[in-house]
C-alpha cells in the first residue's frame, strides 16, 4: 500500500494528550496529522493509500486504526473528515434536523449502502448534509 510519513523532531508519542488529531477516512485511504497545541506546530503527517485502483474496505480501515501506534493513543481533540462528492449546504436558520434526509434527496440520490449525515459549520453559519458509506461510517 502506498505510504507517506513526514514528522518533526519534536514528535513525542508519550505527549499525545497535548496533540490534536485530524484524520481523514475514505475508501481511497486513511490520512492523519498531529498538531502539537503547546508549540502550535504540526509534528506528524501519515497517509495510507489503497493500491492498484482498489478501495479500502471497512475492515482494512479498522485494522489500520487499531495497528497504528499513534492512532491507538488518547488526544486532546479529534477531528474526523469523510470526503463526499454528494453534499448540500443548508443555512442554519433554515435547518431542521428532522428534515436532514429531505435536504439531501432534494439534490442527490442516496446510493445503496450509504447513510446521510449532517455537520454544523461555523463560518458561514450552516449545516453540511452529505452521504458516506455505512461501512466506513
Amino acid at each position: 500500500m502506498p505510504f507517506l510519513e513526514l514528522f518533526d523532531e519534536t514528535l513525542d508519542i508519550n505527549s499525545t494528550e497535548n496533540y490534536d488529531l485530524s484524520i481523514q477516512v475514505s475508501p481511497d485511504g486513511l490520512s492523519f496529522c498531529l498538531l502539537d497545541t503547546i508549540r502550535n506546530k504540526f509534528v506528524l503527517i501519515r497517509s495510507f493509500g489503497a493500491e492498484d485502483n482498489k478501495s479500502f474496505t471497512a475492515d482494512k480501515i479498522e485494522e489500520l486504526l487499531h495497528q497504528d501506534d499513534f492512532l491507538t493513543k488518547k488526544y486532546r481533540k479529534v477531528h474526523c473528515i469523510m470526503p463526499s462528492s454528494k453534499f448540500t449546504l443548508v443555512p442554519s436558520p433554515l435547518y431542521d434536523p428532522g428534515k436532514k434526509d429531505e435536504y439531501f434527496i432534494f439534490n442527490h440520490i442516496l446510493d445503496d449502502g450509504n447513510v446521510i449525515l449532517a455537520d454544523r459549520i461555523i463560518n458561514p453559519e450552516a449545516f453540511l448534509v452529505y452521504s458516506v458509506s455505512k461501512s466506513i461510517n
Side-chain angles (χ1 to χ4, degrees):
M1 110 186 52
F3 175 78
L4 166 73
E5 178 180 79
L6 299 171
F7 61 91
D8 186 81
E9 67 276 354
T10 62
L11 175 66
D12 182 358
I13 196 165
N14 298 312
S15 295
T16 58
E17 62 278 349
N18 297 318
Y19 295 167
D20 286 359
L21 168 67
S22 295
I23 186 167
Q24 178 176 306
V25 181
S26 78
D28 297 328
L30 182 144
S31 300
F32 67 94
C33 64
L34 302 179
L35 174 67
D36 180 335
T37 58
I38 294 173
R39 294 178 182 87
N40 196 29
K41 176 181 185 179
F42 285 98
V43 292
L44 173 70
I45 183 170
R46 190 176 280 173
S47 178
F48 303 91
E51 288 183 354
D52 304 323
N53 297 326
K54 295 180 182 175
S55 295
F56 272 2
T57 62
D59 290 338
K60 181 61 180 174
I61 292 170
E62 187 172 354
E63 177 186 324
L64 288 171
L65 291 173
H66 291 351
Q67 287 183 351
D68 188 276
D69 292 342
F70 281 96
L71 293 177
T72 58
K73 298 292 183 182
K74 300 267 187 210
Y75 290 92
R76 188 182 77 91
K77 193 181 283 185
V78 177
H79 305 274
C80 183
I81 301 165
M82 292 185 289
S84 175
S85 60
K86 292 186 175 185
F87 65 91
T88 299
L89 196 60
V90 181
S92 288
L94 303 176
Y95 184 75
D96 175 356
K99 295 184 178 181
K100 166 182 68 154
D101 293 359
E102 291 178 49
Y103 296 132
F104 182 83
I105 62 173
F106 182 73
N107 291 320
H108 304 286
I109 296 171
L110 182 62
D111 296 329
D112 288 339
N114 282 10
V115 63
I116 299 171
L117 302 175
D119 288 319
R120 183 172 168 256
I121 298 174
I122 303 297
N123 193 8
E125 280 289 327
F127 283 82
L128 184 66
V129 181
Y130 58 100
S131 69
V132 295
S133 165
K134 282 181 188 175
S135 62
I136 291 178
N137 185 44

